[in-house]
Amino acid sequence: STDSLGSAAGEPRAPEAGQWFDYQIKQLAAHAKMSISSKDSEASTTTAPVTHTVKVVGKPIINVGAENPFAGKSFYVNPSYAASLGQSIATAEGQVKATLESMEDVPSAYWLDTKGKILGSGSNTMQGILADAASKSPPQLVTFIVYDLPNRDCHAKASNGEICCTYNADGSCDYAKAGDCSAGLAEYKAEYIDKIVSLLKSYEGRVPIVLVIEPDSLPNLSTNHGDPRCGNSATVAAYKGGIQYAVQSIGAAAPSVALYLDAGHGGWLGWKDNMKDYVATIRDLSVSSHLRGFATNVAGYQALGQMCPTYDFCLNNANPGHPCCADPCGLTSQWNPSHNEHNYALHLRKAMSEGISGFVPHIIIDTGRNGIADERSQCKNWCNIRGAGVGLFATTETADPDVIDAYFWLKTPGESDGCTGTLPSGAKCPRFDADCASTDSLGSAAGEPRAPEAGQWFDYQIKQLAANSRFM
C-alpha cells in the first residue's frame, strides 16, 4: 500500500513476516513515544492516566474514556491492609521485606463478607472507609466486594457464610434443604443489602465507588448444578433472587456506583457451553442495564497472558507458537478458548454483547495473585497456591482499555483462601475444604506451616507472594 515501507522510491524492500526489518526498527526508534505526558507523570502510582498507548496483538491504539470509573481517580488504600503487611514486614528480610514495604501503598478491595462490616467507624467497616475516603482531597475511589448471599459458597466449605436458607442447630447452613429461601432472602435484603444501599445513597456523588457483586455465586449455578448444595431449589432461589435484588436496588438508589458482577475466570466459564449458560442466567435476571460489566479471576490465580486478536484465535491449534497462545493450563486442548484472562475478557464481551441486546460490558481483572503463570500442577486447584506471586498493581493501563477497565487487587494478597485440616493453633479446622489439602496448596507439604481460616492473615503465604512478585 502507499503507507507501507518499501513502496516509495529509495526505500528498501521489506522481508517476510517475522523476519528482522532493520530499516523499520530504526524508523520506529526515531519516532518513539515511550513516556506518558508530563501531566500524567506527576500522578501517583495509584492514579490512572486518562489516555495511553498499549501493545495489543492485532489491535489499534485505544484511548481510555471518561466512562471508565477507575480512570483519572486516586485509589483508596485501606490502613488495615498496611497494618497486616506490617506484621509480616517486621519478620521479613532482604528483597522480600523491600517488596512487602512497596505493597503498603497498593490499593485493594475491601470484602463485606459479614453484616458486621457495614456500619461503624474505622477502617474495618464500609461506613468508616467511606468517611475516610470522603475526607481526602479529592475523594478517593473505593472498591468493595459484596459477599454474603444465603447459602454462600455452595461448592466449597472454606468460605461458607453467615446467612442461610435453612439453619442447622449449630447455626450452619443446611444446603440439602429445598425451598424458596424466603427467610434467608428476607434476612439478606433487610440486614445486609438495604444497609449497604442506605450508605451508598448518603455518599452518592461524594465518593467514587466500585462494587463487585457476589463472587462465585452465579458461576456455581452454571457449572455446579450437579452438586446438590448448589443445585437445590433453595440455593438457586437465593443466588438469583439475592443478586437481582442487590443489583437493582443499588443501581436505582446510587446510579453513580459502578457495578461489576462476578464472572468466575477463563478456566471456569471459558468453555462455550458454560458461557452460553452464564449469558442466559444474566439475561434472565434483567440486571444488565445497571451493570458496568464483570469482574474476573476474583481470588483466583489465572494468568493474564497476552491478548489475542480474537478470543478463539488459538483454538484447533490455529496459530501454534504465537505468544498469545501460551497455555499453561492446557485449556485449548480441552476446547476452551479462554486460556488466559485477557482472552476470557474478549470472550465475555463478545458473548454478552451478542446474547443481551444493547449490553456491551467492560471487565476488571483481579491481579492480586496471578503474577506467575505455571505454578500449579493442576489448574483446578485454587486454595493457597504454592509458588504464586502478586501481580500487577492497580492501573487502567490494560491490554485493551476499550474492553478492560482496570487491573486491581480484588482479593487481598496475604489473606488465606481456607484452612488446612489442622489450624496453626493445633485445633481442628471447622470449615475445612479438601481442596485446601491439594498438592498445590500451602500446608500440604512437609515443613510448611498450617493455613488459617479463609480471610485470616497468612504470613507464610504473603512472603512467598512477595518473593515471586511480578508487578510489571
Side-chain angles (χ1 to χ4, degrees):
S1 74
T2 56
D3 291 324
S4 298
L5 292 175
S7 65
E11 292 179 339
R13 300 298 132 191
E16 288 197 66
Q19 295 184 10
W20 192 253
F21 193 178
D22 178 78
Y23 185 81
Q24 182 191 51
I25 192 62
K26 289 174 179 174
Q27 188 175 95
L28 289 167
H31 298 138
K33 296 291 186 293
M34 298 172 126
S35 61
I36 58 179
S37 69
S38 59
K39 178 180 178 182
D40 287 333
S41 66
E42 296 170 1
S44 70
T45 58
T46 56
T47 302
V50 175
T51 63
H52 58 86
T53 302
V54 294
K55 175 188 173 186
V56 185
V57 180
K59 293 280 185 177
I61 293 172
I62 305 290
N63 289 332
V64 176
E67 292 183 359
N68 180 350
F70 293 89
K73 301 294 194 304
S74 177
F75 305 149
Y76 182 79
V77 178
N78 195 318
S80 65
Y81 184 53
S84 295
L85 283 171
Q87 301 172 33
S88 296
I89 290 170
T91 56
E93 298 177 348
Q95 185 56 49
V96 168
K97 182 173 184 177
T99 299
L100 290 173
E101 289 173 339
S102 73
M103 293 164 57
E104 289 184 285
D105 293 325
V106 178
S108 58
Y110 186 75
W111 287 62
L112 304 173
D113 53 3
T114 65
K115 294 177 284 186
K117 289 186 176 180
I118 301 172
L119 301 179
S121 59
S123 59
N124 291 314
T125 68
M126 183 182 190
Q127 186 174 24
I129 290 169
L130 287 173
D132 191 26
S135 71
K136 312 297 183 182
S137 183
Q140 295 177 330
L141 181 142
V142 184
T143 302
F144 294 105
I145 311 293
V146 175
Y147 186 58
D148 207 17
L149 276 171
N151 283 18
R152 190 180 75 192
D153 206 13
C154 61
H155 194 59
K157 298 178 181 178
S159 301
N160 291 166
E162 62 179 353
I163 303 176
C164 301
C165 294
T166 301
Y167 288 93
N168 290 314
D170 63 359
S172 63
C173 297
D174 182 353
Y175 285 86
K177 185 72 172 179
D180 60 6
C181 197
S182 56
L185 281 170
E187 182 180 350
Y188 179 72
K189 293 174 182 179
E191 298 181 27
Y192 184 70
I193 292 299
D194 288 354
K195 291 181 179 179
I196 290 174
V197 169
S198 179
L199 265 181
L200 293 174
K201 285 178 68 175
S202 68
Y203 282 93
E204 173 68 6
R206 296 171 53 200
V207 175
I209 300 169
V210 168
L211 299 183
V212 174
I213 307 297
E214 298 293 352
D216 295 351
S217 53
L218 296 180
N220 268 323
L221 295 191
S222 290
T223 64
N224 292 315
H225 42 74
D227 180 341
R229 292 164 55 96
C230 299
N232 77 74
S233 58
T235 300
V236 172
Y239 287 13
K240 291 185 175 181
I243 287 175
Q244 183 180 58
Y245 182 82
V247 172
Q248 292 179 348
S249 298
I250 294 168
S256 72
V257 174
L259 300 177
Y260 296 86
L261 195 57
D262 178 75
H265 54 71
W268 188 348
L269 295 180
W271 284 267
K272 292 182 179 181
D273 285 347
N274 290 353
M275 180 63 72
K276 182 179 179 180
D277 187 281
Y278 185 66
V279 170
T281 297
I282 304 305
R283 184 174 56 243
D284 292 345
L285 290 179
S286 300
V287 296
S288 60
S289 62
H290 295 295
L291 298 177
R292 170 69 181 171
F294 297 93
T296 79
N297 197 44
V298 178
Y301 297 87
Q302 297 296 112
L304 286 175
Q306 184 174 352
M307 184 176 281
C308 292
T310 62
Y311 83 94
D312 55 357
F313 184 76
C314 303
L315 276 185
N316 300 316
N317 202 31
N319 293 281
H322 196 290
C324 80
C325 293
D327 186 7
C329 289
L331 293 173
T332 51
S333 66
Q334 303 171 44
W335 298 97
N336 182 343
S338 306
H339 57 280
N340 66 47
E341 286 305 284
H342 279 145
N343 289 336
Y344 182 52
L346 292 179
H347 192 180
L348 261 176
R349 165 70 78 92
K350 180 177 175 63
M352 289 292 173
S353 299
E354 293 178 350
I356 303 176
S357 178
F359 184 39
V360 183
H362 299 260
I363 315 300
I364 57 175
I365 301 174
D366 188 350
T367 54
R369 304 181 302 177
N370 70 346
I372 303 295
D374 57 355
E375 77 278 25
R376 288 173 288 178
S377 62
Q378 297 185 65
C379 286
K380 68 178 183 179
N381 293 333
W382 55 266
C383 187
N384 299 326
I385 299 302
R386 181 184 301 105
V390 294
L392 299 178
F393 289 165
T395 181
T396 57
E397 293 193 49
T398 66
D400 187 344
D402 184 53
V403 177
I404 303 170
D405 281 343
Y407 305 131
F408 206 89
W409 288 7
L410 298 175
K411 167 72 174 184
T412 308
E415 292 185 354
S416 175
D417 291 318
C419 46
T420 44
T422 302
L423 294 170
S425 66
K428 182 180 179 180
C429 175
R431 296 194 296 177
F432 173 65
D433 189 304
D435 285 347
C436 292
S438 78
T439 56
D440 290 323
S441 298
L442 292 173
S444 65
E448 291 179 339
R450 302 297 125 189
E453 288 201 64
Q456 295 185 9
W457 193 252
F458 194 179
D459 176 77
Y460 187 81
Q461 182 189 50
I462 191 61
K463 288 174 178 172
Q464 190 171 97
L465 288 167
N468 298 324
S469 62
R470 297 291 188 276
F471 297 147
M472 303 298 291

